[in-house]
Amino acid sequence: MKKNIIINKNNFFIFSLFECGCFSMATITTTIIIIICLLPATQAKYMFYNTTMAIDPHKINVHLVPHSHDDVGWLKTIDQYYAGANNSIRGACVQNVLDSVISALLDDPNRRFIYVEMAFFQRWWRQQSDTLKAEVRDLVNSGRLEFINGGMCMHDEATPHYIDMIDQTTLGHRFIKHEFNQKPRVGWQIDPFGHSAVQAYLLGAELGFDSLFFARIDYQDRAKRKTDKSLEVVWQGSQSLGSSSQIFTGIFPVHYSPPDGFTFEVNDVSAPIQDDLTLFDYNVKERVDDFVIAALAQANVTRTNHIMWTMGEDFRYQYALSWFRQMDKFIHYVNMDGRVNALYSTPSIYTEAKHTANEKWPLKTGDFFPYADRENAYWTGYFTSRPALKGYVRMMSGYLLAARQLEFFKGRSNLGPNTDALADALAIAQHHDAITGTEREHVAADYAMRLSIGYTECPLLNISYCPPTEANLLNGKSLVVVAYNPIGWKRVEIIRIPVSSQGLIVQDSDGREIESQLIPISSASLSTRNYHLKGNLGGSATDSDKYWLAFSASVPPLGFSTYIVSSSRKTGSRSVISKWSLSERDSNNTIEVGQGNLKLLYTADEGKLTSYINSRNQVTAFAGQSYGYYSGYNGTDRVNQASGAYIFRPNGTFPVKSDSQVPLTVVRGPLLDEIHQQLSSWLHQVTRVYKEKEHAEVEFTIGPIPVDDGVGKEVIARIATSLRSNRTFYTDSNGRDFIKRVRDYRSDWDLQVHQPIAGNYYPINLGIYLEDEDIELSVLVDRAVGATSLVDGQIEVMLHRRLLNDDARGVGEALNEEVCVHNTCKGLMIQGKFYLRIDPRGEGAKWRRAFGQEIYSPLLLAFAEQDGNNWMGTHVAAFSAIDPAYSLPENIAIITLQELENGKVLLRLAHLYETGEDRDYSVMEKVELKKLFPGKKISKVTEMNLSANQERSEMEKKRLEWRVEGASEERRGLRGGAFDPTRLEVELAPSEIRTFEVEFDYIRMFGS
Amino acid sequence: MKKNIIINKNNFFIFSLFECGCFSMATITTTIIIIICLLPATQAKYMFYNTTMAIDPHKINVHLVPHSHDDVGWLKTIDQYYAGANNSIRGACVQNVLDSVISALLDDPNRRFIYVEMAFFQRWWRQQSDTLKAEVRDLVNSGRLEFINGGMCMHDEATPHYIDMIDQTTLGHRFIKHEFNQKPRVGWQIDPFGHSAVQAYLLGAELGFDSLFFARIDYQDRAKRKTDKSLEVVWQGSQSLGSSSQIFTGIFPVHYSPPDGFTFEVNDVSAPIQDDLTLFDYNVKERVDDFVIAALAQANVTRTNHIMWTMGEDFRYQYALSWFRQMDKFIHYVNMDGRVNALYSTPSIYTEAKHTANEKWPLKTGDFFPYADRENAYWTGYFTSRPALKGYVRMMSGYLLAARQLEFFKGRSNLGPNTDALADALAIAQHHDAITGTEREHVAADYAMRLSIGYTECPLLNISYCPPTEANLLNGKSLVVVAYNPIGWKRVEIIRIPVSSQGLIVQDSDGREIESQLIPISSASLSTRNYHLKGNLGGSATDSDKYWLAFSASVPPLGFSTYIVSSSRKTGSRSVISKWSLSERDSNNTIEVGQGNLKLLYTADEGKLTSYINSRNQVTAFAGQSYGYYSGYNGTDRVNQASGAYIFRPNGTFPVKSDSQVPLTVVRGPLLDEIHQQLSSWLHQVTRVYKEKEHAEVEFTIGPIPVDDGVGKEVIARIATSLRSNRTFYTDSNGRDFIKRVRDYRSDWDLQVHQPIAGNYYPINLGIYLEDEDIELSVLVDRAVGATSLVDGQIEVMLHRRLLNDDARGVGEALNEEVCVHNTCKGLMIQGKFYLRIDPRGEGAKWRRAFGQEIYSPLLLAFAEQDGNNWMGTHVAAFSAIDPAYSLPENIAIITLQELENGKVLLRLAHLYETGEDRDYSVMEKVELKKLFPGKKISKVTEMNLSANQERSEMEKKRLEWRVEGASEERRGLRGGAFDPTRLEVELAPSEIRTFEVEFDYIRMFGS
């Protein structure tokens, strides 16, 4: 063989003048000279590689799992990633991945691949021929192509609301069910930056998943788990549902790429196996040794004789054969070698093998937040990054829920218009580089555009501008306001609409005049509005005075009410113009606001909040409120870590100070009081106390955050009380379960604290609260943000971030959002709200749950003009979809009411409370479907799993039971009883969400 | 459609707090609210793209020619490129190309692809299954996969010998013929750095090619041709063969890549066509416009309505579908648009279309050297780069020719050992980044290793070390020396072998003692030898005194003679020890050397050559000889252009000077005289005058070239005479035709001279000469080098180059060859020879042609020891393969005599002279095959085309005739008559090479 010829490659040829040719005499015969030339090495032939899958119980089994991690948007938009456009940013083309993977799978029946992101797969699928579709169906049905996770995207776990997580997963799962009749069995959250309890139990166990896998975990936690061999655990995400919600969970020892030296994308540098003896560089032995060494290293931190190699990376397999060719060879030669056993596998095969091993696994409760990938690198910045996008997504989420209800009432049109485009846009916005704010600026714009295309109408209402409501109501015209309530219980709320004139009256649908209040729109607010109008419409609003018209609307469950606003010549019934005052004070040098039970007290001199008093339940508490900011660390790489889109690394804490003392402005009226404060040139706040509500509403307008000093800033609001909260606070998991947090502490390992601020931040979607022996303080939010309690009795919420350095995690852009109008750019301003309330201990949950649901599902308003008084005569003025005598219990929410393509109706009911959370509401509850659908004949009700791709009973049958270390007495958790088809009642235990497909004999409530 | 929705992407979503949801009332009916959501865009479906090939005579036809340019070695070795190994240097894997191209072709019958480099294709082919092979045969036979060029590599055109070009092409063509029964029809030399006349007529017309295409042409020439629309021409490469050797030749307007914006490799940045209305970024119109604009631009510089787009680049199509997917769409949409007509095509379809157009084309004669791609960037350095490799390749080329003859005599073994490995190694060494010296150092080592594996035995004879000949010949042993002559005429030559003792006698095979001369090996030579021995064998030679033993060998045509060297006690018959003298001089202060007709005169003081005197033909001429060097320009990029592997950019001319005056050493003896000169510490020269020869042989040892001053150097030898050569000189084309060169002049355009030195360099393989009215001066070389005549009467040859900067043409390494022994590295030393002779005008060709052939095919030596005198009794001592009464005419060479795998014998006979070159030899000549193969019965002789893949008559029948502009009376050129099967005589006209397959009734001359 060539390899045995000893030749000094570098030198032998260099001296080149040959005195003579030379040939060997060694075999000269008596008759003729024989020339000795090298025997050509064994003629290479077509090689058959034996890659038949077989598990060897006596060896380490290396499960090779070919995969491609395809972000549905990040550096490029989803469509650019799909089509391979904009490759100057990053070469990536998912169409290549799917085309070439399918081709490689069709070439060899032993190969396997998993695919994850249905948003991409759907795009691809639509473009394929029927012939190829049939072949792909075969691949899927034979398990060679397996859908894993199976949502539209791999959603983030910190910043999405659980309803969005369910919706986007359902979209993907139903697509898979519809096209392939398959149900994904494995959760595959390999990239998200921390992992939530809701993911484990709701988007895991409740989907019917057998297991969940991910890569990212705190570096300290990982180190300990490697030592303990506890990277694989049984995770129990819900305390209410107990062991019935457990899921086997595997954390990768390094990341979701293959071990070093085993990446085989086109142009990758790993050495390919070279087994053709006619070519140079034969290296089978060497590469097999590499493989065995890597396998043994991993086996060393893993229980059982099964290990998984994630054979892929971001957007890999653009030419799949380049991977499969090498894996074919590795499996063949490694198995010939015999020290370990290699096989093509999938996470479900791996899970099955783990289960069969009958091992005991450590129990994990709680979640995996926050995530740090090294010292000083806590990924807690993205909890708040791009607050405008986060707010927009949340608004659209609530809107979609309501729109689907209305679509159901009207009767769905499969050919459109329908809610599908919005559902699709909202689904991909849950991606872990979408709502997280960790995508590039142009990609964020793409997500938002998709949402807006779904939403389409009246996009500018968000800046108090909605032309129909501001039209001049003279000439006998009046404004019709329709308010829809998507919640199952009746609501009475103050509605505010912008109007351009005084002298208005508001009437309900019965013609009764109702009390209303006019609140002048502040000049700060007006200038902001005009700025954005220029940017959006290219013009400006009219210059006439503008007011908010506030009135109280009472709306039935799943129904609407209609109000008429018109100008009136009768002085008495006109809306009350609020009183403004700039320097009001009482004898104690105090300003008190609040017309009802709740009063807030401010110091008249400094305008500082000092007391929170609820006269109904006798709560009186010291309460301060302020803003501050962290200066962002200006690093350049992973060692010199900057604060950025992902990472929060503060470099100092500073109060927000106004340049001069600006006294607070008090606005008072019959329905609500407001406190206006210009806290600095770039921070304005309005605090509202409604007569009929017992919480304070704080509306903040922040930005442009100044960065002229070259320092990025992250703005926080702080609420301070004297509660002795003992380092403990509670934050929600995706808007659902509240999880206990203890400052500077982790229950799973002995925390080394390097970042005492960033390392205590947690994501919230609903809110945060803390308590002492007497009272509890709750703060609820209108979108995902980061929050913490760094000092006992204090709550801190991060509201906005503007940073000047990239944080070296790949996005390659500083999180420096700007708005440009006529080529002039300034930092992004955001407006948002949080709500705060103080209750006697044990009373807070009621507000957090009920009002939290109302924040998620605000009243939906629509407007029309009427000439004269024709509206009421031609339109239904008030409506409720449910039995007029019925209302949903206040611990139950309809989180899905949607007509499907097949005419069936998807209904999800959620119990809003956890076990033990509330004395009154944490109880088994019933919903009567007959009363929910009056006037319809329910012909069939099928209980489904959470993503509605299989019957719940089928899912339950397949559920794997896992043995848990040291768990002698597990609590299974309470569940509602089986659905009774005769009584048509649904029973829900605390934390339960139940999903049904409901069929009706006739589905239309109204003809169309 | 989405595109019509006006949304300000940057701004609309940024202000995010929504006062309320909003839905339109516009379509509120009397009964229920309708939600307006966006209509989903037309559901995308599987798209059928119409890519049927059709030429439209009324439109510009854009021939899309998908191709991949796969260097058989450059930055990586050929096997590394094939397997995708060593990708850290450059991502490239030819296996991917072939796998994915075949797959894409099988997917769609309209797609086409051309493949060029058989060295890669063969590797791939060996590894395929029979099933796939059958499918590929279908692709080839249906023209969807077309082999273009079809040699093992795309050989260089400056530095290979024409015999090597023929051999490597034959290897590839016969493989294609054998596996696919196809014959390539098009020359595709897209990348070589200049183009030779031999390429056009021999490796073009004589192969049966219809056309030749390439990209690289002098930038000034290209500019003029674009203006003239003369990028496509009829090229007549041979003046002897006239119009019978014409070929249609197309030069690409830019390079061999697609127009800008039409590259579609995975991760390329060109915008893909996006035609899916359900995705964003639909751009069909825009991309079709781009296509049409690019097509019109090219049509503007092209005759006829056919233009070719070379859709590929270096190592592209690693995932072929990514190209074909886009080309499918472009053809479909461009043809729908209708302004131009796009089609999948190949160069042969394109050629056919050009031919059908019946246009007249400009005539091109001569060649396309030298090549400059911009000012100051003459690619004339590579004519000399890596002189050691160039010398090694040339040596192996001569060796293979001889070895194949011997293999034929013995009878070929198809299973080996045979000459195939050497033939393969030599074939790829002709690649335009192999013998050119423009590959990386490690790749050069790979080519050399492959050659050495073919050669295998006695690799160190090149440094005067060959153990059998240096063995102590005491103890009654003697040395047997067998000398084989591969040439068809008898030769008498001085053989030199290294020996370790004096007192030797040399006997011929009849036992006659013959005259011999011992020449001490100089100490300089010994130390060099020991240095390289250490490097190669890890030891050192014995320390005993060493001599060259020279004696005169007389060897019959295609035969061998045997000589016995033994020690003798008889003083009289012993070899004569040469006389050495250091300060000899005659009365004129002159040193004269030469025992025969030729005398050289030197000044005794300075040791300078002054005169050349041939007493036979009365030539007496002033003759000086010296060395100098150019300092290499130290640039960093294309503007600040460095001298490097490709490019020669001198920055000053300097003489080579020794540190002190070293007198010349004269060695005299009965067979030859030698002059030894240490011209500097790194340049040593030996000049030899043989008693029986009329040329001087100059052996130079150059190196390590000093670069401690930070300046690279390019070493030249200069021969100066007083000839009035009038700016004119002649250099050979690939060792065959001599082409007239005029200093600072090009016949095709008005040359702008920026580089008066580099721009006058031409490649030589055989030699260079110049003449005046009386005499001519010829210099012949032993390998490819660059040469010129910068001053009338002077010849300059570049011998060695050592440079410190990369010249920015991709190799990414400075041409700084070093040799390392025991971790100590020094610059490469090279040893070589050139030969010079001065003749009366019109007499030089005889020497250039006959001796040139002998340089190419030196006597091949083999050695054995004998004990006593048993050799002659057991071995054939003298042998000639041809009729003892016959000898080939001295103007005819057997350039191929090779037994093929099928038992047939391939015979190529070459007429060595051009028309008008020599009074006596430029005549029609005959070869009698009966006498060439005595004792064999010739059963059949078939005349073939040059690459022996088809019968010559078949080739002639298919030859396309082209109309030439302004050519009223073309000269067809003389050709030998048709082969007469009865007389078995071959007639050869000047410049003719005729190729035959000869079949014998019994092929073996000797049993084996």
Side-chain angles (χ1 to χ4, degrees), chain B residues 496-605:
Chain B
R496 300 196 313 146
I497 59 173
V499 292
S500 57
S501 55
Q502 305 181 7
L504 302 173
I505 59 163
V506 180
Q507 294 164 287
D508 67 14
S509 53
D510 295 328
R512 274 190 297 266
E513 291 179 10
I514 56 174
E515 193 172 37
S516 62
Q517 178 179 348
L518 276 177
I519 306 160
I521 298 178
S522 68
S523 60
S525 184
L526 269 179
S527 87
T528 299
R529 167 185 168 182
N530 280 329
Y531 181 75
H532 289 100
L533 275 173
K534 254 194 284 183
N536 284 283
L537 299 181
S540 59
T542 56
D543 289 331
S544 55
D545 291 337
K546 297 296 188 310
Y547 302 91
W548 288 112
L549 173 67
F551 60 91
S552 179
S554 172
V555 193
L558 298 185
F560 61 81
S561 302
T562 304
Y563 296 87
I564 309 294
V565 179
S566 52
S567 26
S568 166
R569 296 174 191 278
K570 290 186 292 177
T571 317
S573 57
R574 283 181 181 176
S575 53
V576 177
I577 300 175
S578 308
K579 278 185 282 183
W580 280 63
S581 65
L582 278 174
S583 51
E584 173 195 318
R585 70 183 61 189
D586 68 9
S587 54
N588 297 326
N589 208 20
T590 296
I591 299 168
E592 181 190 290
V593 293
Q595 312 288 321
N597 293 332
L598 175 62
K599 314 253 183 245
L600 297 183
L601 271 54
Y602 291 80
T603 61
D605 293 339

Side-chain angles (χ1 to χ4, degrees), chain A residues 631-774:
Chain A
S631 54
Y633 201 99
N634 276 345
T636 50
D637 55 33
R638 288 181 181 223
V639 175
N640 190 22
Q641 178 65 57
S643 214
Y646 301 91
I647 288 168
F648 173 33
R649 188 183 184 191
N651 191 22
T653 313
F654 306 89
V656 170
K657 282 186 294 197
S658 62
D659 301 334
S660 57
Q661 190 64 37
V662 180
L664 46 72
T665 304
V666 183
V667 179
R668 295 178 192 274
L671 301 176
L672 72 158
D673 290 356
E674 290 184 351
I675 304 287
H676 295 222
Q677 292 165 288
Q678 187 74 39
L679 296 166
S680 85
S681 61
W682 49 271
L683 206 163
H684 184 260
Q685 171 178 289
V686 178
T687 307
R688 298 193 179 98
V689 183
Y690 295 92
K691 186 177 175 190
E692 302 295 338
K693 305 283 177 187
E694 296 184 8
H695 63 259
E697 171 184 306
V698 179
E699 180 180 80
F700 50 86
T701 305
I702 304 177
I705 299 176
V707 290
D708 297 342
D709 56 359
V711 178
K713 298 179 184 63
E714 321 189 36
V715 180
I716 51 126
R718 231 181 251 124
I719 295 98
T721 67
S722 54
L723 264 74
R724 298 166 308 281
S725 53
N726 194 25
R727 306 160 52 92
T728 303
F729 54 104
Y730 300 84
T731 62
D732 69 87
S733 178
N734 303 113
R736 194 143 175 85
D737 307 68
F738 276 99
I739 298 187
K740 179 179 176 177
R741 313 295 184 184
V742 178
R743 196 158 60 245
D744 292 340
Y745 173 82
R746 305 286 189 272
S747 56
D748 287 353
W749 79 96
D750 186 13
L751 178 69
Q752 303 297 306
V753 178
H754 302 287
Q755 287 284 320
I757 298 165
N760 283 308
Y761 257 76
Y762 291 88
I764 64 173
N765 282 273
L766 171 56
I768 174 172
Y769 73 92
L770 40 77
E771 57 188 12
D772 66 8
E773 290 172 8
D774 304 319

Side-chain angles (χ1 to χ4, degrees), chain A residues 11 15-17 20 22 25 37 79 87 99 126-127 276 280 325 418 458 461-462 535 782-783 820 863, chain B residues 8 11 15-17 20 22 25 37 79 99 127 276 278 280 325 418 458 461-462 782-783 820 863:
Chain A
N11 293 331
F15 209 81
S16 72
L17 188 102
C20 60
C22 174
M25 301 293 279
C37 288
D79 285 352
N87 272 354
D99 280 344
R126 284 197 303 254
Q127 298 176 340
D276 186 334
F280 287 13
R325 187 195 289 133
N418 60 33
C458 197
L461 189 64
N462 61 331
D782 64 349
R783 72 193 69 185
C820 301
F863 305 92
Chain B
N8 183 324
N11 293 331
F15 208 81
S16 75
L17 189 102
C20 58
C22 174
M25 299 293 280
C37 288
D79 285 353
D99 281 344
Q127 297 176 342
D276 187 335
T278 60
F280 287 14
R325 188 195 290 132
N418 58 34
C458 198
L461 189 63
N462 61 332
D782 63 349
R783 72 195 67 184
C820 302
F863 305 91

Side-chain angles (χ1 to χ4, degrees), chain A residues 327-352:
Chain A
M327 287 189 286
D328 285 351
K329 293 183 184 186
F330 272 108
I331 292 172
H332 177 86
Y333 290 111
V334 163
N335 292 345
M336 271 176 64
D337 173 86
R339 281 174 286 174
V340 304
N341 183 55
L343 62 151
Y344 278 124
S345 185
T346 67
S348 37
I349 294 170
Y350 178 77
T351 301
E352 189 67 38

Side-chain angles (χ1 to χ4, degrees), chain B residues 613-876:
Chain B
I613 302 167
N614 187 328
S615 55
R616 180 182 60 79
N617 58 19
Q618 305 299 315
V619 166
T620 299
F622 160 78
Q625 191 239 328
S626 61
Y627 290 87
Y629 66 84
Y630 296 106
S631 55
Y633 201 99
N634 275 346
T636 49
D637 55 33
R638 288 180 180 222
V639 175
N640 189 21
Q641 178 65 57
S643 215
Y646 300 91
I647 287 166
F648 173 32
R649 187 183 184 190
N651 192 23
T653 314
F654 306 89
V656 170
K657 282 186 293 200
S658 61
D659 300 334
S660 56
Q661 190 63 37
V662 180
L664 45 72
T665 304
V666 183
V667 179
R668 295 177 190 275
L671 300 177
L672 74 156
D673 290 355
E674 289 184 352
I675 305 285
H676 294 222
Q677 292 165 288
Q678 187 74 41
L679 296 167
S680 86
S681 60
W682 49 272
L683 204 163
H684 184 259
Q685 171 178 288
V686 177
T687 307
R688 296 193 181 99
V689 182
Y690 295 92
K691 187 179 175 187
E692 302 294 340
K693 305 283 179 187
E694 296 184 9
H695 63 259
E697 171 183 309
V698 178
E699 181 180 79
F700 52 84
T701 305
I702 304 176
I705 298 175
V707 290
D708 297 342
D709 56 359
V711 179
K713 297 177 185 66
E714 322 190 37
V715 180
I716 50 124
R718 233 181 250 124
I719 295 98
T721 67
S722 53
L723 263 75
R724 298 165 309 280
S725 53
N726 193 26
R727 307 159 52 92
T728 304
F729 54 103
Y730 299 85
T731 62
D732 69 86
S733 178
N734 303 115
R736 195 147 174 80
D737 307 68
F738 274 99
I739 298 187
K740 181 178 174 177
R741 312 294 185 184
V742 178
R743 197 159 60 245
D744 290 341
Y745 174 81
R746 305 286 190 273
S747 56
D748 288 354
W749 78 96
D750 186 15
L751 179 68
Q752 302 297 308
V753 178
H754 302 288
Q755 288 282 318
I757 298 166
N760 284 306
Y761 257 76
Y762 290 88
I764 64 172
N765 282 274
L766 171 54
I768 174 173
Y769 72 92
L770 42 78
E771 58 189 12
D772 65 8
E773 289 171 7
D774 303 319
I775 57 174
E776 53 187 288
L777 164 67
S778 309
V779 171
L780 300 186
V781 292
D782 63 349
R783 72 195 67 184
V785 294
T788 187
S789 170
L790 297 177
V791 174
D792 281 357
Q794 285 191 12
I795 282 174
E796 176 174 314
V797 183
M798 187 177 289
L799 299 175
H800 196 7
R801 316 179 74 216
R802 188 182 187 190
L803 295 164
L804 304 178
N805 286 57
D806 176 59
D807 54 3
R809 291 306 183 284
V811 68
E813 248 184 28
L815 183 72
N816 182 6
E817 295 177 282
E818 292 193 330
V819 179
C820 302
V821 174
H822 299 162
N823 299 323
T824 306
C825 300
K826 44 187 207 176
L828 169 66
M829 294 173 70
I830 57 143
Q831 201 173 74
K833 287 180 188 165
F834 60 83
Y835 309 87
L836 73 97
R837 176 160 162 152
I838 302 178
D839 286 289
R841 189 175 180 195
E843 300 287 321
K846 285 189 181 67
W847 177 68
R848 291 192 296 267
R849 294 301 184 182
F851 186 64
Q853 205 60 24
E854 293 176 5
I855 296 172
Y856 178 79
S857 281
L859 292 177
L860 204 61
L861 302 187
F863 305 91
E865 277 180 5
Q866 71 172 358
D867 252 335
N869 199 17
N870 58 345
W871 183 267
M872 293 303 180
T874 53
H875 292 80
V876 174

